[in-house]
Amino acid sequence: MGSLFRLVALSLIVLVLPITVQADGEHSVAFVEAEIVLPMQPYIQQIFIGSGLILSLMCFAWARALRSYSMVILAIFFAIKSFGILVSGGVSLLTLFTENPQILKVEGLLLACLSHLILFAFTIKFFTLKKFAATSYQLLIRLSFFMVLAVPFAYFFAQTCVWLLTQILVSMSLIALLYAVRQVQEQRLSTIFSLTLLVPLSFNFINYLLHYWQFSAQLINGLDMLAFWLMAIMVTYLMGRKYYYHLRDERLAQQQVLASAKASELAQQKLLALQEESQEQLESRVQERTLELNIALQELEAVNQALKEKNTLDELSGLYNRRYYDEKILAEFRRSRRNLTPLSIILIDIDHFKLVNDSYGHLTGDKCIVEVAKRIKSLLRRSSDVGCRYGGEEFCLILPETDAQGALALAQDICQSTNKQQFIDDDIVIDLTVSCGVATYQQEQGVTPEIIFASADKALYKAKQAGRNQVQVSLLSET
């Protein structure tokens, strides 16, 4: 998050710097006004309007064919984005309703903010940021409120200041989107989307420089149209790749099912053929084929089990993943309530993990996660205890039939075990520590699994605030 803020601050400095240079009369550089005029500008705008309408209609058609809510959002984004480009080129839409210059002044800012808010919604829906990248989701929500509040304030600014504010907000939103998509786990699509966002960000910076070097507004508007179509092509390619990956995964799953069905069918055919043979041969061959069938079924069951574990295990840490946690905590909560037994949760977080990534790199950070996961697994001695990697450097332990004292003792063992052993990677020596939050459900009324987790998270926050490398316990009544 700190690196993102530094990047945004650097972008703001780069955007404001030409104004400062231009205001300094003694040290400013006199740029030669470049009068580059695009021929047939009205015809280009008419072509742009028609092609933008066709693009939006195509997106709506794809949305209906694929039953994709994301494509509907994308169609609305393209429509509003194209209107914003036309406004920057001198074609105003609000003149059909009002002649108020104050309102017309902020029309471009309003459309720019609205289009990027819709792009935020598309990104959140497409990559499911609310579920898998909560930090990025919160960042986009806060930036959305800031952009909404910026529009009414722009009524009190001059035209040049409104234009500068528009450039700054657009750049900030694109940088925030770049940060958000880099946090998702689906790298195949996030890389394509990152390149897509770099296109308007680069053109935005180029147009800013051309504006303050006094190039023609028609040239700048033409570059806006070019950036729009490059982005549209890349976004269309992105949706195509997602559909392709979806079809490929479905096809592989169907092939596995067909192969299993074919193996079963062949085994049945062999059994039917054996029935036509003599009784003596039948008995021996039935036993032989039955053994082969059992082996095949065992292998098939092993493959299915491996596939199930792959869907529930975290590949990096070897612990269970977030999806398994969501299913297991609900089942254990119901069993605890039915059997009137306690249920405890321990939430574990590696201290100063961002500093480790920034200082030694993400590969070393991944090794630290693996090392902490090994120590957690070594301390889980009961088969009913479940360790999960909740996300990033956070782990969550589900402890059925464990009271608060037992959970506290296990959390303290994890803290002490992690603190006693140094993590060594080549020539790097890191003193790893963890903070733990403990919460126990003991048949309190009105409690849900979400409340238990929130209580453990509150205890973890208290441990962080108290200096880290320690365990804090939170009562459900305090949540």
Side-chain angles (χ1 to χ4, degrees), residues 187-206:
Q187 296 296 327
R188 299 178 302 182
L189 298 176
S190 64
T191 301
I192 300 174
F193 195 58
S194 297
L195 295 175
T196 304
L197 294 173
L198 286 175
V199 171
L201 183 61
S202 302
F203 275 84
N204 190 48
F205 181 75
I206 294 173

Side-chain angles (χ1 to χ4, degrees), residues 7-8 79 103 232 244 329-330 336 363 399 465:
L7 185 58
V8 172
I103 298 179
Y244 165 76
I329 188 60
L330 182 59
S336 172
L363 291 179
L399 309 176
Q465 292 295 107

Side-chain angles (χ1 to χ4, degrees), residues 131-364:
K131 183 176 182 181
F132 298 107
T135 303
S136 301
Y137 170 76
Q138 292 296 331
L139 173 64
L140 296 182
I141 293 298
R142 292 168 184 170
L143 186 56
S144 299
F145 281 113
F146 179 77
M147 295 175 70
V148 170
L149 293 176
V151 175
F153 281 101
Y155 283 98
F156 306 100
F157 297 160
Q159 183 67 41
T160 303
C161 295
V162 173
W163 182 88
L164 177 61
L165 179 61
T166 303
Q167 298 296 102
I168 293 175
L169 291 178
V170 170
S171 300
M172 288 177 59
S173 64
L174 292 174
I175 293 172
L177 286 172
L178 279 172
Y179 169 80
V181 298
R182 298 309 298 175
Q183 307 303 311
V184 300
Q185 298 179 353
E186 184 56 70
Q187 296 296 327
R188 299 178 302 182
L189 298 176
S190 64
T191 301
I192 300 174
F193 195 58
S194 297
L195 295 175
T196 304
L197 294 173
L198 286 175
V199 171
L201 183 61
S202 302
F203 275 84
N204 190 48
F205 181 75
I206 294 173
N207 287 345
Y208 175 82
L209 295 179
L210 293 179
H211 177 82
Y212 280 98
W213 287 342
Q214 300 180 4
F215 277 77
S216 171
Q218 294 181 356
L219 174 63
I220 297 176
N221 189 244
L223 290 177
D224 285 337
M225 295 181 184
L226 177 61
F228 173 83
W229 277 111
L230 290 176
M231 184 179 181
I233 293 172
M234 297 187 69
V235 171
T236 304
Y237 174 74
L238 173 70
M239 298 301 296
R241 294 303 294 179
K242 181 181 180 181
Y243 185 62
Y244 165 76
Y245 291 140
H246 176 72
L247 292 180
R248 188 181 66 176
D249 294 340
E250 284 189 346
R251 184 171 62 253
L252 291 176
Q254 291 174 357
Q255 289 176 354
Q256 291 179 352
V257 173
L258 290 176
S260 301
K262 186 177 181 180
S264 300
E265 182 180 358
L266 291 176
Q268 292 176 359
Q269 291 176 357
K270 291 180 181 180
L271 289 174
L272 292 175
L274 288 174
Q275 294 178 356
E276 299 176 358
E277 299 180 0
S278 64
Q279 187 65 29
E280 294 180 358
Q281 295 177 346
L282 181 61
E283 292 181 357
S284 61
R285 291 188 178 182
V286 164
Q287 294 178 355
E288 179 182 352
R289 299 307 181 188
T290 302
L291 178 61
E292 292 179 356
L293 180 59
N294 289 333
I295 295 175
L297 291 176
Q298 291 176 359
E299 293 177 350
L300 180 60
E301 183 179 358
V303 171
N304 291 333
Q305 183 65 26
L307 181 61
K308 181 179 180 181
E309 292 180 354
K310 183 178 180 181
N311 291 331
T312 58
L313 288 180
D314 179 67
E315 296 182 357
L316 177 61
S317 64
L319 298 173
Y320 290 103
N321 57 18
R322 171 72 179 278
R323 177 186 299 175
Y324 185 82
Y325 166 81
D326 292 336
E327 297 174 355
K328 188 67 175 177
I329 188 60
L330 182 59
E332 291 297 341
F333 175 76
R334 291 174 177 172
R335 187 161 69 93
S336 172
R337 188 170 56 184
R338 183 174 59 253
N339 298 338
L340 301 179
T341 56
L343 173 64
S344 295
I345 287 181
I346 301 177
L347 197 58
I348 306 168
D349 187 83
I350 301 177
D351 295 329
H352 304 294
F353 185 72
K354 184 178 183 301
L355 181 61
V356 173
N357 279 337
D358 294 341
S359 302
Y360 306 108
H362 289 277
L363 291 179
T364 301

Side-chain angles (χ1 to χ4, degrees), residues 51-61 74-76 78-80 82:
S51 57
L53 179 61
I54 293 174
L55 178 61
S56 299
L57 293 176
M58 289 177 60
C59 289
F60 277 115
L74 197 61
I76 299 174
F78 283 139
I80 297 179
S82 60

Side-chain angles (χ1 to χ4, degrees), residues 368-388:
C368 291
I369 292 176
V370 173
E371 182 65 23
V372 173
K374 289 181 179 178
R375 296 174 187 176
I376 292 175
K377 286 192 289 187
S378 67
L379 294 173
L380 293 178
R381 299 180 178 88
R382 299 190 308 173
S383 59
S384 59
D385 296 339
V386 177
C388 305

